[in-house]
Amino acid sequence: MPRLQTNTLYYGDNLPILRDYIPDESIDLIYLDPPFNSNRSYNVLFKETAGPSPAQTGAFEDTWHWGNATIQAYEEVVTNGPDTTARLLSAMMSALGHNDVMAYLSMMAIRLLELRRVLKPTGSIYLHCDPTAGHYLKVLMDSVFGPKRFRNEVIWKRTHSHGGANRFGAVHDIILSYSKTSTFMWNAKRLRYSDQYVEGFFKFSDADGRRYRSTILTGSGTRTGSSGKPWRGVDPTNSGRHWAVPGYARRRIGDVDPSNVQAALDRLDEIGRVIWPAKAGGIPTFKQYIDDLGGAEIQDVWTDIPPISAQAKERLGYPTQKPLALLERIIAASSSEGDVVLDPFCGCGTAIHAAQNLNRKWIGIDITHLAIGLIRRRLLDAFPKLQGKIRVIGEPEDLPGAAELAKNDPYQFQWWALDRVDAQPLTDERKKGRDRGVDGIIPFLEGTDRRRAIVSVKSGKLTPAFVRDLKGTVEREKEPMGVLLTLNEPTREMKTEAAAAGTYRSETWQKSYPKIQIITVADIFNGRNVQMPPKVSPFAQAAREREREGEQATLI
C-alpha cells in the first residue's frame, strides 16, 4: 500500500482507488453523496449548459445497473464480506429482486466496507442521500458500522417548497452520520441566537444596552449542606428549595471552592451578577447574558442553511450543488485543522472546497475527467495559492497514456483533451451522435461581444476532410475561429488545408490569429496551446476565498 497522498484528486472508479491508494485507518472524516441516478447527480458545471449530457450519463449506466460489475460486487460481499452485511444484502436480494435499487445497494455495500477500512478509529462518516433510498442505506450502514455507531439522521431542508401530486412536498435530504468506534472527534459549534429569540427571552437591558434575563439561583428540594444554608438573610429552605449555582454562572467567578456555595454567591454579587428583588425576603436571581450560554446547540433538523439561490456567489450551475455552509458545518463538527477529509463521489467538489477553506487536508475521487477538471478549476478560482499544488492521479501524463485513454474511453479522452485547452465541452442532446462537428467551445471577448473558438476533437485516423468540415462548421456557426484537437500528428495536406483558411484579425487586440488551427496532444504536453485572444472562462467561477480561511460566519 503506497503512502497516503493528500490534496489530491483521483480520476476513476473509487473502489479500486480506495483499495490501491488509501491505506488502512488513514482518514479522519468521510463525506459522500453517491448518485442514485446519473441524471440527478452528475450534470455539468457550466453557465451555458443546455441539459444533462447523455455521454456523461453513459459513464454511470454500467455502474448502477445490473451488469458484470454489479454482480461481482454482490457476490464478493455475500461470499467474503462481514457476516452481518453479507446476510443483509442476501436478504435484500430476496426481498427486492434484480432491479436498479438492488444494484445500487450492492455497489454501495462493497464501497462502504472499504470506507470503513480506511477510516481512523476516531473518524466519522456522513452519507448524504434523499428519501428514495435513504431507508435502505440506513440498514446497510448499520450492518457495516454497527447500530451502536449510529450518531445522527440529520434532516436538511434543501428547498423552500416543492409541489407534489397527491402528496406532501418533498423538501428535505437525509444525512446519515456514523462513527467507527465509541471514541470519535466531536467539535460541534453553536449557532448565534436569532433576533426573535433574543427579543423574546432576553427582555431586560443594562444601562449600556446589553441584554440579559433573570434566571433562578435555586433548585427544588431542601439540602443540609452548604447549599441549604441561608445567605445574606435569605433561607432557601423556607421555600422548599436549595441554592444551585448554574455551571455557566460558576464559569464567571474563577477558582471558588465548589463546596462553599455562599462564597460563590458572594463572588457573583461582587461582579454584579445577582439581581436582588425589590421585596424584602425574596430570593435573588442571576443576571444571565446571551454569551453565558455560548449560543444555540445545533439540532438534527437543519433549516438554517438555505439552498443555493440563482443569485448566490458560490453557485456554479450544478443542479444538486450543496451549499458550502452545509459541508463546513459537517467538517467543523467532526474534524480538526490538519485532519484528512475524503469525498469518494466528489461531483462538483463542494466538500473539497469546504475542507480547504477550513484548513483540512483532502482527497477527492470522481469517475469522470470532466468532474476532475472542473473541481481543479473551482479550487484554483477560490484558492489561487494552490496553483501547481493540486495533484491529479489517473489522468494521462504522456502521449502513450493519452492514447490508452482514447482507446478505452473516447468520451473521457475528449473531456480530458478539452480541459487541457480550457474548452467547455458541448453537453446537450446533440451529443447523441449529432454534434454537427462541435465538441467544445473556447469563449473570448471581441470588444463587448462574446465570441467563440469552435473545437473538434479527433482521436483516430486523420484526413484533410476533418479540416474542411471544421472550416464549414465555423462558417455555419458564424464564429471567427476553429481548433482541431488531435491525438495523432496531422498530415501535410491537413496542415496545408488549415493554412489556406487564412487568419482572423482581432481589432480589439490588434493581432491576427490562424482561423483554423491544429493542436496535437503532443503539443499540449510540450506546453503549446491555442493561439487566440485572451480567453473568457467558460466555466461558472467559484468566488475567491478570503486570505484568512476557516471562518464560518453563522457559527460561534
Side-chain angles (χ1 to χ4, degrees):
M1 179 70 68
R3 181 176 59 88
L4 183 71
Q5 298 190 58
T6 58
N7 290 14
T8 301
L9 298 172
Y10 289 88
Y11 157 70
D13 184 341
N14 53 32
L15 181 60
I17 290 172
L18 287 168
R19 290 173 168 175
D20 294 343
Y21 291 96
I22 313 298
D24 295 351
E25 299 186 346
S26 59
I27 305 298
D28 295 284
L29 174 62
I30 298 170
Y31 169 85
L32 64 158
D33 183 11
F36 179 67
N37 65 72
S38 51
N39 285 336
R40 170 186 171 270
S41 295
Y42 281 87
N43 291 291
V44 187
L45 285 68
F46 303 133
K47 297 174 182 176
E48 298 179 334
T49 297
S53 165
Q56 189 180 9
T57 299
F60 305 94
E61 287 180 350
D62 293 338
T63 305
W64 304 112
H65 299 272
W66 279 109
N68 292 334
T70 316
I71 293 172
Q72 182 178 347
Y74 173 80
E75 292 179 347
E76 183 174 342
V77 173
V78 171
T79 304
N80 301 319
D83 184 59
T84 53
T85 306
R87 287 188 289 109
L88 174 66
L89 203 63
S90 178
M92 285 179 163
M93 174 66 83
S94 298
L96 299 175
H98 288 76
N99 55 29
D100 287 352
V101 172
M102 193 62 221
Y104 174 75
L105 295 172
S106 298
M107 296 299 278
M108 284 302 303
I110 198 167
R111 285 162 174 78
L112 288 173
L113 291 171
E114 288 299 320
L115 292 173
R116 186 184 186 282
R117 175 186 64 80
V118 305
L119 197 61
K120 289 181 180 179
T122 55
S124 298
I125 181 171
Y126 288 77
L127 173 58
H128 196 134
C129 50
D130 65 20
T132 305
H135 47 300
Y136 296 120
L137 290 171
K138 172 65 170 62
V139 293
L140 187 58
M141 291 283 281
D142 281 347
S143 76
V144 173
F145 290 90
K148 292 183 179 180
R149 301 296 172 249
F150 170 70
R151 298 300 164 205
N152 277 113
E153 179 182 80
V154 174
I155 303 300
W156 173 53
K157 185 180 178 183
R158 60 176 171 77
T159 184
H160 295 301
S161 62
H162 194 283
N166 301 319
R167 66 170 187 168
F168 299 114
V171 298
H172 78 279
D173 278 0
I174 298 167
I175 304 173
L176 301 172
S177 171
Y178 285 75
S179 62
K180 187 170 184 177
T181 67
S182 59
T183 304
F184 55 94
M185 180 64 66
W186 184 246
N187 301 316
K189 305 294 183 181
R190 290 173 177 258
L191 295 173
R192 289 189 177 92
Y193 291 112
S194 67
D195 292 342
Q196 182 179 9
Y197 177 85
V198 172
E199 292 173 2
F201 289 91
F202 291 82
K203 298 181 178 180
F204 308 106
S205 296
D206 283 339
D208 60 1
R210 191 180 181 195
R211 299 180 72 96
Y212 68 91
R213 66 181 178 182
S214 173
T215 62
I216 60 175
L217 281 170
T218 60
S220 62
T222 61
R223 299 288 187 272
T224 58
S226 174
S227 63
K229 295 179 180 179
W231 175 66
R232 298 192 181 182
V234 179
D235 188 350
T237 303
N238 294 336
S239 302
R241 301 181 68 81
H242 66 279
W243 297 114
V245 180
Y248 53 77
R250 287 190 175 276
R251 288 194 292 271
R252 305 295 172 182
I253 59 178
D255 296 329
V256 176
D257 183 358
S259 65
N260 190 339
V261 177
Q262 280 70 26
L265 291 170
D266 283 339
R267 180 59 184 150
L268 286 176
D269 197 25
E270 288 174 12
I271 63 174
R273 285 303 195 97
V274 175
I275 303 172
W276 288 93
K279 183 179 179 181
I283 296 179
T285 57
F286 175 69
K287 181 186 287 188
Q288 183 185 60
Y289 294 105
I290 297 172
D291 55 7
D292 288 326
L293 300 180
E297 291 187 359
I298 300 174
Q299 307 300 308
D300 63 3
V301 177
W302 297 355
T303 61
D304 62 305
I305 300 178
I308 299 175
S309 69
Q311 293 77 35
K313 291 183 179 180
E314 68 179 273
R315 183 179 180 85
L316 299 176
Y318 190 78
T320 57
Q321 179 183 347
K322 305 302 185 293
L324 269 175
L326 181 72
L327 273 300
E328 286 181 350
R329 176 173 293 178
I330 290 170
I331 291 171
S334 293
S335 68
S336 300
E337 289 194 13
D339 283 353
V340 181
V341 177
L342 167 67
D343 185 347
F345 296 90
C346 56
C348 69
T350 301
I352 305 303
H353 187 151
Q356 178 66 32
N357 209 26
L358 294 175
N359 299 317
R360 272 65 167 174
K361 300 172 185 176
W362 48 263
I363 297 170
I365 308 172
D366 202 274
I367 201 169
T368 71
H369 281 293
L370 181 61
I372 294 298
L374 294 171
I375 294 168
R376 176 168 47 195
R377 292 175 189 280
R378 175 180 185 173
L379 291 174
L380 292 177
D381 284 341
F383 310 97
K385 67 181 182 181
L386 291 180
Q387 185 68 48
K389 298 180 181 179
I390 301 173
R391 287 182 293 270
V392 179
I393 294 177
E395 68 177 2
E397 298 180 352
D398 51 29
L399 190 57
E404 185 69 16
L405 177 62
K407 176 183 176 182
N408 294 334
D409 194 327
Y411 279 123
Q412 294 291 348
F413 169 78
Q414 178 174 297
W415 293 331
W416 169 81
L418 290 169
D419 177 64
R420 295 304 297 265
V421 296
D422 302 316
Q424 170 185 328
L426 183 71
T427 56
D428 60 23
E429 289 299 319
R430 290 179 292 176
K431 261 302 177 208
K432 295 179 178 179
R434 297 184 288 108
D435 58 24
R436 304 179 69 195
V438 182
D439 293 318
I441 59 169
I442 310 176
F444 64 93
L445 290 179
E446 186 62 68
T448 58
D449 296 331
R450 187 180 177 94
R451 305 304 302 274
R452 307 185 303 173
I454 301 297
V455 184
S456 178
V457 181
K458 302 296 180 184
S459 60
K461 183 178 179 180
L462 300 174
T463 71
F466 291 145
V467 179
R468 292 192 291 270
D469 290 344
L470 177 58
K471 181 180 177 182
T473 300
V474 168
E475 293 173 352
R476 184 191 69 236
E477 299 291 329
K478 296 182 174 58
E479 297 293 357
M481 303 178 63
V483 178
L484 186 61
L485 187 53
T486 69
L487 173 64
N488 300 312
E489 286 294 321
T491 65
R492 180 181 300 176
E493 291 79 8
M494 292 175 66
K495 294 178 181 179
T496 301
E497 190 80 36
T503 61
Y504 159 65
R505 176 69 179 178
S506 171
E507 297 302 327
T508 300
W509 305 100
Q510 291 296 298
K511 189 174 179 179
S512 295
Y513 303 93
K515 190 175 183 65
I516 300 295
Q517 299 176 49
I518 303 176
I519 303 292
T520 68
V521 170
D523 291 332
I524 292 174
F525 283 121
N526 289 329
R528 182 188 169 195
N529 212 311
V530 181
Q531 300 177 53
M532 62 181 299
K535 303 168 185 175
V536 175
S537 175
F539 309 96
Q541 291 182 287
R544 182 169 178 171
E545 294 291 352
R546 301 179 300 271
E547 287 297 321
R548 179 183 174 89
E549 294 156 10
E551 297 179 356
Q552 186 177 340
T554 59
L555 299 180
I556 56 176

